[in-house]
Amino acid sequence: MSETISLSLTINGKPHTVDVEPRTLLVHLLRDTLQMTGTHIGCDTSQCGACTVLLNGSAVKSCTVLAVQADGEQVTTVEGLGTIENLHPIQQGFWEKHGLQCGFCTPGVMMAATDLLAHNPNPTEEEIRDGLEGVLCRCTGYQNIVRAVQYAAQQMNQQVAAPEVAAEAEGGRG
Amino acid sequence: MSDALHHLQKNALKPKYTGARVTRKEDARLLTGASRYLDDIEIPGMYEIAFVRSQRSAARICAIHLDAAQATPGVKRILTAKECPCFFGSAEDVANGVVQPALARDVVRYVGEPIVAIIAETRYAAEDAVERVQIDYEPLQPVLAMRESLLDQPRRVHEKTPNRMFHSEYQTSGFEDAFQAAPHHLVEVFQTHRQTGVPLETRGLAATIDPGSGRLTIYATHQSPHGLRGDMAVALGIEENELRVIVPEVGGAFGIKAHAYPEYLVVAYAALKYKLPVKWISDRTECLLTDVHARDDIHEVEVAFEGNGRILAIRDHLRADAGAYSAFPFCGAIGETVLASRVLTGPYTIPHLATTIDCTYSNKTPLGAYRGVWGPIASFVQEGIVDRVARALHLDPVEVRRVNMIPDELFPYTNAAGQAYDRGSYRASLEKALEMLNYDELRAQQKTLRDHGKYIGIGISAFVEPTAMAQSEAGSVPYESATIRIEPNGSVTAAFGLGPSGQGHETTMAQLIADELGVDLKDIVVLHGDTDSAPFGGGTGGSRSGPIGGGAALKAGRAMKEKLQTLASHLLEAAKEDVQLEDGKAFVAGVPTRNFSIRELAQVAYTDVLRLPEDFPVGLEVVARYQPKRPVTFSNGTHIAVVEVDAQTGMIEVLDYVVVNDCGRLINPLIVEGQIQGGVAQGLGSAYLEELRYDDQGQVTTTTLADYLLPVATEVPRMRIAHLETPSSGEGGFKGMGEGSLIASPAAFANAVSDALEPFAFMVSALPVTPDQILAAIDRSRDSMA
């Protein structure tokens, strides 16, 4: 298995060029090759979603994506979401609303929530639950995850609202 | 002391953090992906291990062919039982003359049992080699059914040992007379099927020799760092001080990580023998095959009761399938049955109880701990009995609960099994839950909806939760320890022997210490999980960390407070009892300007030591241990589930869920509610979804999370939670609460389905209850009516 393929991709805004075995999974590229261990592996069969990252802005389960499929693409992981000094509103929401316990599923859940809010900035509780159906949490019973996403949606809409009041007026998003 | 001063001090002692909804100290690292779980630990030159596992439930190993595996690129070493002669023997197994080898030798006894370990440069390479190992088996007839197994049929799992690995009997005095004299009787068989904890982080172990000291360091996903150290040292034949256990961030545990597993021995042994850093992380299939299973129990129950619903006597023959070996270091089958037999009467004044317990070996995975252990089973049986009595007598299930509930004036109450319950809010929690639900109105609605072909069910579960037991998953360590050190800069470092896996102990323990010392939460660092720095403790399990660990935190906090007061009173030339600690300062009560900051006191204690009072030890360090006087404290509460069952599809939808919980004094309601919500979700899985299925050859057929179904966000209801607080007599008034939600909820969910299907004369007697069972029951009912 010494045969390798060279690929280039952008992770959290930073370009990387790496050599990997063709069979290498994206999650192993992130975790093992690049030592970005914020993305976790929980099931190997794409049920749990702990490994969820954004591929060109869309949530994917990185245990079910070959690294070579990300060649030339943009990947965002939890490490690219926010920093301890400058947390993303989704991270703030999870903190404020106790949306995590052991924290193992949390990076994947937050990436799925990022995708969800990008497509639906004002989700109802039902829409949040639907949107997170592909990620499993064994600790929280999801209730505080829902509250965390609601909190984030509110924060993000406020952030957006201020500069975009004029633009939004026509769109009628309110 | 003047009254005014006394009043002032009393006010000053009002806790700032304890009882408050404090957000967690742990979260910053977890939210940014910076945290280090086991698989994130990188040791230079580390090898990875993959296991060849038994594909047979029962067979003799005739030959193991390793040549092709040995030739696989990247493979460093291969171990079989010959190279790795270690074993674990739990007390229960040893009593039966059985031990479990780290790698199976000669015979395999369950699917997934490790046989060969392959050490390679990468997991990919190790897995390549695993595929090339060939094992010749001579099949044996598998032992799979509990009732037959108890009769040593079709054969013995361990040749020289009867399959019945545990037996006990208990009966209250006068049982038979009371039972026979009762006007009403009913019988039922309750069964729970195999489930497991499924923490999202799989289990594993990494091991390396510390190049400086030559000691073995193991990194483990475990609930009891010191317990694991002791057990591993014995099994490896090394001294306990030669072994350092580090438990990094743990991604959920739920009991399965209270156990030590054969693979752990192999990894540690390989590191010792070959002087290599090695790691093994389970994949999910390995977890579903070999993490301890749980809940494999049968209860054959007979109940005697009166016409008003008063239950007089319960007879129960409890059986549990231990699997091929006792899990290490304790046997889940014995834990589930023995402890269930002690709380079978739940929150009720049922005077008579007779129990017979039989546990058996089988060719299945060992049975061990899953959150709640005996509790979910006992509650399912107990609350199932109450609802059956109600249905038999055409009484409202609430009325039967009211008739039987232990009244407040009887506490402390000793139940029919001899368990001493401390004071709780038994009746109050039931009434409060009914009020939150608007019970009477809902019953009326249920009737109307039934007439329109909509089947709503209300399931009540009033529960008791024995917590903080002297013996539990965390072993027989009946105490916890805390050290507190104030650093030279005035910050506080506390260390515990606990083994948290998401419960937020760094926050709750810091809350308690912050209130004792009058310092800001952010100035406290809580350490745990490293046997080189943490004081010896039992770890986390059995809902003991809050009440026992919290007690240790309070005792250590008070001891440190006393030191600070002594030092400050000397420097301030004031009476010690007049010195208060608040806002990071020690000051004379009523004269806040006469003060020393904690930082200044620390400087004196460490560097300006000539200013210390006579006999005051240099530095600021304390260690405290707390052992509760009671061997157990009981939390209690009531859960009610409201569901709709679709009679066409058998599908169950949860419409509402209320919880009234009493775990004594609350340390952090945010965390308590999070624990409850998670436990209810697991209860939904236990009641409706999760089952480890075996086929007739002993193959596990649920080996991925596509087959073993965990609850998802759309299935778990929004819960409404209320707290009642009946303090325990222990330090701080805390009771444990990690398991009550999973103890109560399966019974609530099961009873709700039974209630919904009353028109079809169906009652849930086996968990999980699934749509196909429901449809079959509806069909049977329609056939019998037609």
Side-chain angles (χ1 to χ4, degrees):
Chain A
M1 292 294 159
S2 52
E3 177 199 348
T4 60
I5 291 179
S6 176
L7 60 98
S8 299
L9 71 173
T10 306
I11 303 173
N12 301 328
K14 200 175 145 202
H16 292 265
T17 299
V18 289
D19 293 330
V20 296
E21 282 186 40
R23 63 178 175 171
T24 304
L25 300 171
L26 177 57
V27 69
H28 289 140
L29 168 69
L30 294 169
R31 290 181 50 81
D32 299 341
T33 313
L34 300 174
Q35 309 273 300
M36 298 172 69
T37 57
T39 303
H40 300 144
I41 302 171
C43 77
D44 317 306
T45 50
S46 74
Q47 265 79 43
C48 82
C51 64
T52 302
V53 300
L54 302 183
L55 188 60
N56 299 329
S58 291
V60 297
K61 291 174 176 174
S62 62
C63 76
T64 323
V65 175
L66 290 167
V68 293
Q69 291 176 282
D71 192 12
E73 314 291 350
Q74 304 270 342
V75 174
T76 312
T77 70
V78 67
E79 287 94 343
L81 200 55
T83 59
I84 287 181
E85 296 75 27
N86 185 22
L87 290 176
H88 187 279
I90 289 178
Q91 291 167 311
Q92 287 172 22
F94 274 74
W95 200 341
E96 285 298 322
K97 300 299 176 189
H98 189 32
L100 69 157
Q101 290 179 30
C102 82
F104 195 80
C105 74
T106 312
V109 176
M110 291 193 302
M111 297 321 284
T114 306
D115 184 342
L116 168 69
L117 292 181
H119 293 99
N120 182 358
N122 284 302
T124 61
E125 173 169 354
E126 200 182 343
E127 287 167 341
I128 294 172
R129 287 180 184 270
D130 279 341
L132 298 180
E133 200 180 6
V135 285
L136 293 172
C137 172
R138 193 61 159 165
C139 294
T140 66
Y142 305 105
Q143 188 150 326
N144 287 343
I145 290 180
V146 171
R147 293 170 67 221
V149 176
Q150 287 170 330
Y151 175 98
Q154 234 170 34
Q155 295 290 313
M156 289 163 78
N157 287 334
Q158 276 168 17
Q159 281 176 12
V160 176
E164 291 187 12
V165 167
E168 285 300 311
E170 289 168 32
R173 177 153 40 117
Chain B
M1 199 190 328
S2 73
D3 282 354
L5 193 57
H6 182 75
H7 178 72
L8 200 75
Q9 285 208 341
K10 213 174 145 196
N11 276 352
L13 289 173
K14 194 171 155 210
K16 188 172 160 190
Y17 295 111
T18 307
R21 293 178 177 273
V22 175
T23 53
R24 299 198 315 171
K25 292 171 75 71
E26 291 89 341
D27 289 1
R29 64 174 188 261
L30 295 168
L31 287 167
T32 50
S35 195
R36 294 257 155 184
Y37 298 88
L38 177 62
D39 199 22
D40 305 334
I41 306 282
E42 189 61 38
I43 301 165
M46 187 157 66
Y47 287 84
E48 295 217 41
I49 292 185
F51 288 93
V52 180
R53 295 176 179 280
S54 174
Q55 297 172 349
R56 310 293 180 102
S57 57
R60 261 185 263 285
I61 299 172
C62 302
I64 301 175
H65 305 283
L66 297 172
D67 294 350
Q70 227 120 31
T72 305
V75 168
K76 178 82 174 171
R77 296 272 182 180
I78 298 183
L79 289 86
T80 66
K82 209 169 78 189
E83 288 76 30
C84 179
C86 306
F87 59 86
F88 272 140
S90 73
E92 294 87 353
D93 268 358
V94 170
N96 287 308
V98 171
V99 294
Q100 178 169 15
L103 294 169
R105 83 185 84 204
D106 307 331
V107 178
V108 289
R109 293 189 170 88
Y110 59 98
V111 171
E113 188 176 358
I115 304 171
V116 179
I118 296 186
I119 305 176
E121 285 165 10
T122 64
R123 181 66 178 258
Y124 278 72
E127 296 282 356
D128 286 341
V130 163
E131 302 226 323
R132 289 168 195 169
V133 173
Q134 195 196 322
I135 296 178
D136 299 340
Y137 297 103
E138 180 193 325
L140 296 167
Q141 200 172 4
V143 178
L144 300 170
M146 232 184 282
R147 288 187 177 91
E148 287 89 75
S149 170
L150 284 167
L151 306 169
D152 280 350
Q153 295 302 322
R155 59 180 191 89
R156 286 181 171 181
V157 174
H158 302 277
E159 231 166 72
K160 294 175 184 157
T161 306
N163 286 341
R164 188 165 86 169
M165 54 95 71
F166 180 85
H167 174 83
S168 80
E169 293 178 20
Y170 173 85
Q171 190 166 299
T172 49
S173 160
F175 176 88
E176 284 302 338
D177 291 344
F179 190 89
Q180 298 304 336
H184 300 276
H185 295 89
L186 64 82
V187 296
E188 182 62 278
V189 180
F190 294 93
Q191 185 160 13
T192 52
H193 292 291
R194 285 192 167 223
Q195 301 179 332
T196 183
V198 196
L200 260 282
E201 183 206 27
T202 60
R203 66 185 172 85
L205 195 104
T208 187
I209 304 286
D210 177 54
S213 65
R215 296 161 77 213
L216 178 67
T217 300
I218 63 179
Y219 297 84
T221 53
H222 205 266
Q223 295 171 223
S224 300
H226 290 91
L228 184 67
R229 183 182 66 175
D231 289 337
M232 292 291 288
V234 169
L236 294 168
I238 60 176
E239 291 293 334
E240 212 165 323
N241 68 304
E242 290 293 305
L243 176 57
R244 176 186 183 185
V245 173
I246 299 175
V247 176
E249 200 85 51
V250 176
F254 310 119
I256 76 111
K257 292 178 185 173
H259 292 277
Y261 294 82
E263 298 92 346
Y264 296 2
L265 273 180
V266 176
V267 177
Y269 185 81
L272 269 179
K273 182 168 175 167
Y274 302 120
K275 310 272 183 272
L276 296 175
V278 285
K279 175 175 81 173
W280 167 72
I281 305 284
S282 170
D283 67 27
R284 184 56 63 189
T285 296
E286 291 181 289
C287 278
L288 290 166
L289 290 175
T290 65
D291 286 5
V292 289
H293 291 180
R295 316 274 200 262
D296 196 356
D297 298 62
I298 298 173
H299 288 239
E300 281 184 13
V301 174
E302 296 173 75
V303 186
F305 54 102
E306 291 178 333
N308 66 351
R310 171 128 171 77
I311 301 170
L312 300 173
I314 296 174
R315 192 198 319 267
D316 188 356
H317 185 177
L318 302 86
R319 296 188 191 88
D321 181 339
Y325 297 94
S326 162
F328 186 82
F330 58 89
C331 173
I334 298 174
E336 285 182 354
T337 50
V338 169
L339 293 161
S341 76
R342 291 181 191 157
V343 291
L344 265 180
T345 56
Y348 306 116
T349 55
I350 300 168
H352 285 288
L353 179 71
T355 51
T356 302
I357 299 174
D358 285 310
C359 299
T360 175
Y361 287 121
S362 74
N363 288 117
K364 294 184 182 176
T365 301
L367 212 66
Y370 171 30
R371 192 178 188 178
V373 189
W374 64 92
I377 306 159
S379 280
F380 172 54
V381 172
Q382 148 222 319
E383 292 300 89
I385 288 171
V386 173
D387 274 17
R388 278 161 178 78
V389 168
R391 193 171 291 182
L393 297 170
H394 305 290
L395 292 173
D396 188 305
V398 170
E399 280 318 306
V400 177
R401 284 179 173 80
R402 283 181 180 141
V403 164
N404 288 288
M405 190 74 72
I406 306 166
D408 290 344
E409 59 272 19
L410 288 189
F411 286 95
Y413 177 81
T414 302
N415 78 5
Q419 287 288 298
Y421 296 175
D422 45 343
R423 187 166 293 281
S425 52
Y426 288 60
R427 181 70 183 260
S429 77
L430 173 65
E431 300 302 336
K432 173 86 183 162
L434 294 169
E435 181 196 312
M436 283 167 74
L437 198 67
N438 221 338
Y439 180 76
D440 294 333
E441 197 174 299
L442 194 61
R443 277 283 177 218
Q445 279 174 14
Q446 177 189 36
K447 202 162 178 295
T448 317
L449 288 168
R450 251 182 215 176
D451 296 339
H452 293 87
K454 266 173 89 81
Y455 299 98
I456 305 293
I458 306 167
I460 303 168
S461 174
F463 72 98
V464 296
E465 178 189 8
T467 73
M469 293 198 292
Q471 283 201 305
S472 70
E473 296 100 302
S476 53
V477 181
Y479 63 87
E480 272 307 321
S481 317
T483 63
I484 297 180
R485 183 171 70 231
I486 294 188
E487 306 290 352
N489 72 347
S491 68
V492 180
T493 306
F496 291 82
L498 301 174
S501 51
Q503 298 90 340
H505 295 161
E506 289 169 43
T507 304
T508 45
M509 297 303 133
Q511 286 177 260
L512 299 173
I513 293 167
D515 279 339
E516 287 299 323
L517 301 182
V519 301
D520 200 291
L521 206 60
K522 72 171 167 34
D523 294 328
I524 301 179
V525 172
V526 172
L527 305 175
H528 53 81
D530 182 343
T531 54
D532 273 8
S533 60
F536 189 91
T540 293
S543 299
R544 67 194 296 282
S545 298
I548 309 184
L554 287 177
K555 276 188 81 172
R558 278 204 296 274
M560 181 56 80
K561 178 181 184 175
E562 153 104 28
K563 280 177 89 77
L564 291 171
Q565 282 175 318
T566 302
L567 177 54
S569 78
H570 175 75
L571 297 171
L572 289 163
E573 293 175 359
K576 187 172 148 191
E577 56 271 25
D578 290 349
V579 173
Q580 281 185 237
L581 300 177
E582 213 178 295
D583 295 333
K585 293 188 191 76
F587 58 96
V588 180
V591 197
T593 48
R594 277 186 67 197
N595 71 64
F596 276 85
S597 69
I598 305 290
R599 177 191 273 267
E600 287 166 332
L601 293 175
Q603 278 165 354
V604 172
Y606 285 99
T607 55
D608 200 2
V609 297
L610 294 178
R611 294 175 70 192
L612 288 174
E614 210 176 321
D615 297 335
F616 192 93
V618 170
L620 289 169
E621 289 187 72
V622 298
V623 56
R625 296 194 167 80
Y626 173 58
Q627 178 171 355
K629 289 198 180 73
R630 291 182 60 86
V632 55
T633 182
F634 278 82
S635 289
N636 74 279
T638 299
H639 288 215
I640 307 181
V642 183
V643 306
E644 180 179 352
V645 180
D646 187 322
Q648 304 302 315
T649 63
M651 297 296 283
I652 305 160
E653 187 188 353
V654 185
L655 305 176
D656 196 6
Y657 202 96
V658 300
V659 175
V660 177
N661 194 71
D662 187 342
C663 58
R665 190 166 164 229
L666 294 169
I667 301 173
N668 187 334
L670 194 68
I671 286 178
V672 168
E673 286 160 17
Q675 288 282 312
I676 292 171
Q677 289 157 0
V680 171
Q682 286 178 321
L684 184 137
S686 288
Y688 299 155
L689 298 170
E690 297 176 36
E691 181 178 354
L692 292 156
R693 292 192 178 82
Y694 280 81
D695 72 8
D696 60 5
Q697 291 304 305
Q699 289 287 344
V700 184
T701 60
T702 47
T703 56
T704 72
L705 294 182
D707 313 301
Y708 186 87
L709 301 177
L710 302 185
V712 298
T714 49
E715 292 163 330
V716 179
R718 174 168 274 261
M719 299 152 229
R720 298 185 283 146
I721 299 171
H723 303 285
L724 297 174
E725 293 189 63
T726 310
S728 75
S729 60
E731 249 336 315
F734 314 132
K735 296 177 174 182
M737 58 76 49
E739 296 165 286
S741 48
L742 181 52
I743 288 172
S745 51
F749 287 121
N751 282 353
V753 170
S754 295
D755 188 53
L757 297 180
E758 188 189 1
F760 304 100
F762 178 66
M763 296 210 94
V764 177
S765 58
L767 292 184
V769 57
T770 51
D772 52 320
Q773 294 170 31
I774 289 170
L775 288 181
I778 289 173
D779 284 348
R780 276 198 306 275
S781 166
R782 284 183 171 144
D783 287 350
S784 71
M785 281 188 261

